[in-house]
């Protein structure tokens, strides 16, 4: 495969496009609502109407607005239909010829679409994820060709460093710095790993990207491998994601067939192959050292660091580990330049962030916004707020590792530092919205119980600490707790947070600590010797009045 052949494939793909294209979502969300049956019904309706030469049906990835699935986009008219039933397919075909239908049309001028900035998701919902030709027609693999023929490995590392990209897996570690450590490591063998073990409750960002644009991950990993000097890559993906696994396998076979994976890629000296490893559902395997142990065939349990994976990773060799969204940013950075990417977002948090909006919110789905967008803009404008005029109480970001953020601080910007300041984290990108009926003590119990069940048991603070936190929360929620229990709860959370071996234990207390901080009145109201909510308000008022008098 050379550049000419790549461009020839893109040109041929463009020429075969029919005048009218019906793009039907075939991501997991829409498939669960009869999306495949709808696609087949559309194909039959086109045949029945004798429009095969004029109209084409294309199965595409996630279009974002999952709450309205199954979705059908009519191009080039730009009409989006929501909640389409298979039996309604003929009415869509009829409307193409001037007929009328009563199907639900979705306003593309709604803030849900207008306030987004697709970078990672630029191909999602637009191309057929099961056809490499569609990806190539969207400039796919051109960035890989460029780095192999125009850039040295160190140039690629420097470009990623200058972009300011930070890891989208949660911690926000500078991607360029991580790449440089592996690139500088001296070894006859190195590995590149994609962490696709997305396990946060309510999170589906990585799954949607894998299902919608699998070649983007392969290209990003290949560029990373060239930059750090690796020849073997692994994608560690959850076994609960069968559609994503199937599409990744298809993408790898297609790339190998065209010579875009394997040996002498683009007629260069660069060799690279990718294999898939399927996880068995252990949340702890999202932690990089546990993930590597699982790939090696051992029990997925974290180990102490140092040495870090960049020094001694898979089988003791230097290993680069990034998550799905991080690799998805690589191609556009190479394509458009580091300066372009660095202009997006905030001073310390560059680029965009993909979020999975879930919970009590009108517009459930997948979104991508520039870093620095406020939580209020995401929840109220893009998400449309709570259905039926309800009131938002809080959002949970970062899954079990994150915290609950109250509506009173929804002016908080979505960036790594701002979210940490209010007691939460960015995490991989889950955002669960809760209305004013939510019991925040029960929310804290839910997440600590999740972490307790998912603890690998290797270290005492996490193994025993999460159990004791859960027992205290049970006691409080049953109305048997005291102020002493509340103090013990807070102290125990700090111990688990500061002494656990890995990120699971270190972050497990976050939902409890954040609810103690922002929703302390809900704990007080459950204590036997607690301060009732009204008394809390009176006490606060008295303190304010006393403060004002002292100023005078």
């Amino acid at each position: 495969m050379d550049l000419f052949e790549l461009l020839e494939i893109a040109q041929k793909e463009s020429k075969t496009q029919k005048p009218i294209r019906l793009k039907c979502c075939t991501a997991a969300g829409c498939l669960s609502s009869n999306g495949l049956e709808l696609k087949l019904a559309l194909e039959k309706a086109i045949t029945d109407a004798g429009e095969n030469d004029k109209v084409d049906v294309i199965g595409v990835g996630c279009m974002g607005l999952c709450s309205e699935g199954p979705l059908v986009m009519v191009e080039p008219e730009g009409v989006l239909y929501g909640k389409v039933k298979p039996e309604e397919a003929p009415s869509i075909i009829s409307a193409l010829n001037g007929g009328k239908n009563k199907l639900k049309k979705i306003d593309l001028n709604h803030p849900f679409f207008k306030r987004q900035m697709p970078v990672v998701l630029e191909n999602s919902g637009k191309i057929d994820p099961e056809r490499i030709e569609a990806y190539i027609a969207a400039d796919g693999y051109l960035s890989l060709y460029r780095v192999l023929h125009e850039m040295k490995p160190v140039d690629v590392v420097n470009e990623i460093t200058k972009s300011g990209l930070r890891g989208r897996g949660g911690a926000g570690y500078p991607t360029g710095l991580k790449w440089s450590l592996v690139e500088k490591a001296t070894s006859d063998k190195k590995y590149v790993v994609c962490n696709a073990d997305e396990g946060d409750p309510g999170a589906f960002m990585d799954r949607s990207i894998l299902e919608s644009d699998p070649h983007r991950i392969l290209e990003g990993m290949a560029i990373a491998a060239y930059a750090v000097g690796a020849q073997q890559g692994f994608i560690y993906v959850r076994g609960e994601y069968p559609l994503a696994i199937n599409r990744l396998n298809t993408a790898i076979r297609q790339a190998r067939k065209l010579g875009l994976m394997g040996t002498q890629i683009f007629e260069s000296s660069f060799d690279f192959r990718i294999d898939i490893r399927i996880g068995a559902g252990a949340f702890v395997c999202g932690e990089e050292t546990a993930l590597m142990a699982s790939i090696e065939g051992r029990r997925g349990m974290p180990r102490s660091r140092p040495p870090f994976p960049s020094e001694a990773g898979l089988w003791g060799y230097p290993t680069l580990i990034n998550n799905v969204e991080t690799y998805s940013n690589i191609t556009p950075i190479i394509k458009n330049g580091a300066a372009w990417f660095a202009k997006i977002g905030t001073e310390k948090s560059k680029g965009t962030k993909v979020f999975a909006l879930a919970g009590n919110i009108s517009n459930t789905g997948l979104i991508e916004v520039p870093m620095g967008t406020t939580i209020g803009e995401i929840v109220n404008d893009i998400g449309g707020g709570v259905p039926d005029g309800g009131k938002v109480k809080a959002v949970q970001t970062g899954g079990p590792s994150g915290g609950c953020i109250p509506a009173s601080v929804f002016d908080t910007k979505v960036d790594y530092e701002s979210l940490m300041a209010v007691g939460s984290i960015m995490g991989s990108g889950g955002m669960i919205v809760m209305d004013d009926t939510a019991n925040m003590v029960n929310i804290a119990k839910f997440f600590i119980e999740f972490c307790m069940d998912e603890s690998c048991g290797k270290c005492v603070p996490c193994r025993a600490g999460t159990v004791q936190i859960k027992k205290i929360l049970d006691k409080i929620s049953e109305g048997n707790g005291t102020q002493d229990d509340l103090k013990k709860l807070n102290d125990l959370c700090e111990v688990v947070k500061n002494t656990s071996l890995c990120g699971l234990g270190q972050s497990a207390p976050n939902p409890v600590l954040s609810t103690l901080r922002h929703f302390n009145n809900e704990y007080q109201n459950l204590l036997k010797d607690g301060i009732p909510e009204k008394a809390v308000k009176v006490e606060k008022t008295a303190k304010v009045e006393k403060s004002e008098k002292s100023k005078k």
Side-chain angles (χ1 to χ4, degrees):
M1 171 69 73
D2 58 23
L3 180 60
F4 176 78
E5 290 173 308
L6 191 74
L7 296 175
E8 191 175 38
I9 290 172
Q11 187 178 33
K12 184 178 179 181
E13 180 70 11
S14 299
K15 285 182 178 179
T16 57
Q17 275 194 354
K18 294 179 183 178
I20 299 174
R21 297 166 298 284
L22 305 181
K23 295 188 173 181
C24 183
C25 178
T26 57
C30 284
L31 288 182
S32 66
S33 302
N34 296 322
L36 181 58
E37 290 81 354
L38 173 59
K39 181 176 180 289
L40 295 173
L42 286 168
E43 292 171 347
K44 183 178 184 302
I46 290 171
T47 301
D48 292 345
E51 299 282 7
N52 284 309
D53 293 336
K54 177 182 174 184
V55 186
D56 196 8
V57 179
I58 303 170
V60 296
C62 182
M63 295 184 183
L65 194 56
C66 303
S67 57
E68 294 294 331
L71 295 160
V72 177
M73 171 69 82
V74 181
E75 291 186 347
E77 286 82 355
V79 177
L80 180 62
Y81 294 106
K83 294 185 176 178
V84 186
K85 299 176 183 177
E87 58 267 27
E88 294 172 328
S91 64
I92 293 181
I93 308 306
S94 175
L96 298 176
N97 296 314
K100 294 183 179 180
N101 63 45
K102 295 182 180 179
L103 299 182
K104 183 176 183 179
K105 291 183 180 180
I106 297 172
D107 182 11
L108 294 176
N109 289 314
H110 189 279
F112 182 88
F113 300 100
K114 289 297 184 180
R115 298 293 292 274
Q116 293 195 48
M117 184 178 184
V119 174
V120 169
L121 302 178
E122 64 179 336
N123 291 333
S124 295
K126 296 179 181 178
I127 67 169
D128 184 344
E130 297 186 357
R131 297 186 68 253
I132 191 172
E133 296 84 1
Y135 180 72
I136 291 173
D139 294 336
Y141 290 105
L142 279 177
S143 292
L144 177 58
Y145 177 88
R146 181 188 170 197
V147 301
L148 293 180
H149 289 277
E150 299 176 18
M151 302 173 75
K152 297 177 181 177
V154 69
D155 296 332
V156 181
V157 173
N158 289 338
E159 192 74 2
I160 300 303
T161 303
K162 287 188 291 185
S163 75
L165 175 65
R166 294 171 66 172
R168 298 300 196 246
Y173 193 81
T175 303
L177 177 57
K178 182 182 280 191
W179 285 27
S180 68
L181 293 173
V182 181
E183 189 268 333
K184 292 174 183 176
T186 303
S187 177
D188 60 342
K189 189 181 292 185
K190 296 178 183 180
Y191 294 101
V192 167
V193 174
C194 176
N195 183 348
D197 192 54
E198 179 178 58
D200 293 357
F204 49 92
M205 305 76 54
D206 290 353
R207 186 202 74 201
S208 295
I209 295 170
L210 294 170
E211 293 173 353
S212 305
D213 201 6
H215 285 281
R216 192 182 191 87
I217 311 302
L218 305 189
E219 185 175 12
M221 289 180 68
I223 291 171
Y226 172 75
V228 303
Q231 293 185 333
Q232 173 68 57
F234 292 100
I235 302 176
Y236 188 89
V237 61
R238 296 185 70 76
E240 295 90 337
Y241 288 175
L243 181 62
I245 293 169
N246 288 339
R247 288 183 175 170
L248 280 171
N249 277 320
T250 298
I252 291 171
R253 285 196 303 270
Q254 292 173 342
R256 286 175 180 168
K257 185 176 180 180
L258 291 182
L260 299 171
M261 289 288 154
T263 59
Q264 297 182 332
I265 298 172
F266 278 124
E267 299 182 348
S268 70
S269 59
F270 176 59
D271 302 337
F272 183 60
R273 62 171 290 158
I274 294 177
D275 292 310
I276 294 176
R277 292 293 181 268
I278 300 174
F283 182 70
V284 73
C285 285
E287 195 277 337
E288 58 185 15
T289 59
L291 181 151
M292 290 188 297
S294 184
I295 290 178
E296 292 171 351
R298 298 183 289 114
R299 182 178 178 183
M301 297 180 76
R303 63 164 172 77
S304 299
R305 293 172 294 179
F308 292 94
S310 57
E311 307 167 66
L314 281 174
W315 296 287
Y317 294 101
T319 302
L320 173 67
I321 304 178
N322 287 127
N323 86 326
V324 171
E325 189 179 343
T326 308
Y327 284 121
S328 297
N329 275 292
I330 303 305
T331 297
I333 289 174
I334 298 299
K335 176 183 175 182
N336 300 306
W340 164 82
F341 188 84
K343 288 180 181 178
I344 306 168
T346 66
E347 182 181 353
K348 294 183 179 180
S349 299
K350 305 295 186 182
T352 61
K353 183 72 189 77
V354 178
F355 286 100
L357 279 178
N360 295 319
I361 191 163
S362 298
N363 301 324
T364 302
L366 199 68
I367 66 166
E368 184 175 4
V369 295
M371 291 279 196
T373 304
T374 67
I375 295 175
E377 289 174 308
I378 293 174
V379 174
N380 298 317
D381 298 340
I382 296 174
V386 176
D388 304 319
K391 187 177 180 181
V392 179
K393 186 175 189 176
V395 297
Q396 165 84 359
T397 66
S401 306
C404 297
I405 303 170
S408 59
V409 292
F410 273 14
D411 58 346
T412 300
K413 292 181 178 180
V414 170
D415 62 54
Y416 295 97
E417 287 73 26
S418 298
L419 289 178
M420 196 170 292
V422 294
S424 190
I425 61 172
M426 182 80 73
S428 56
M431 186 174 283
I432 301 175
V433 181
M434 292 164 273
D435 65 13
D436 55 5
T437 64
N439 182 315
M440 302 311 292
V441 179
N442 287 340
I443 294 295
K445 279 175 59 178
F446 169 81
F447 283 111
I448 200 67
E449 187 172 9
F450 178 90
C451 292
M452 179 183 75
D453 291 341
E454 293 293 341
S455 173
C456 74
K458 185 173 184 178
C459 73
V460 174
C462 181
R463 181 180 70 238
T466 52
V467 173
Q468 294 305 315
I469 292 172
K470 172 66 166 48
K471 285 182 177 179
I472 297 175
L473 285 172
D474 283 338
K475 184 180 179 182
I476 291 172
S477 63
E478 291 165 3
N480 298 318
T482 64
Q483 291 289 345
D484 187 50
D485 289 318
L486 208 60
K487 184 179 184 305
K488 286 180 182 177
L489 179 64
N490 189 80
D491 292 346
L492 183 56
C493 284
E494 291 294 342
V495 170
V496 173
K497 183 177 181 178
N498 294 319
T499 60
S500 291
L501 173 62
C502 81
L504 189 153
Q506 291 164 10
S507 60
N510 284 348
V512 182
L513 289 170
S514 64
T515 51
L516 281 170
R517 173 181 173 182
H518 296 297
F519 301 97
N520 190 266
N521 62 308
E522 295 196 26
Y523 285 88
Q524 294 289 346
N525 289 335
L526 292 170
L527 300 180
K528 286 197 286 188
D529 58 348
I531 306 172
E533 187 174 355
K534 290 182 180 178
V536 173
K537 291 179 180 177
V538 171
E539 185 182 3
K540 287 181 179 178
T541 303
K543 286 182 179 179
V544 172
E545 290 177 351
K546 185 177 179 181
S547 175
E548 289 178 348
K549 286 181 181 179
S550 63
K551 288 179 181 178
K552 291 179 181 178

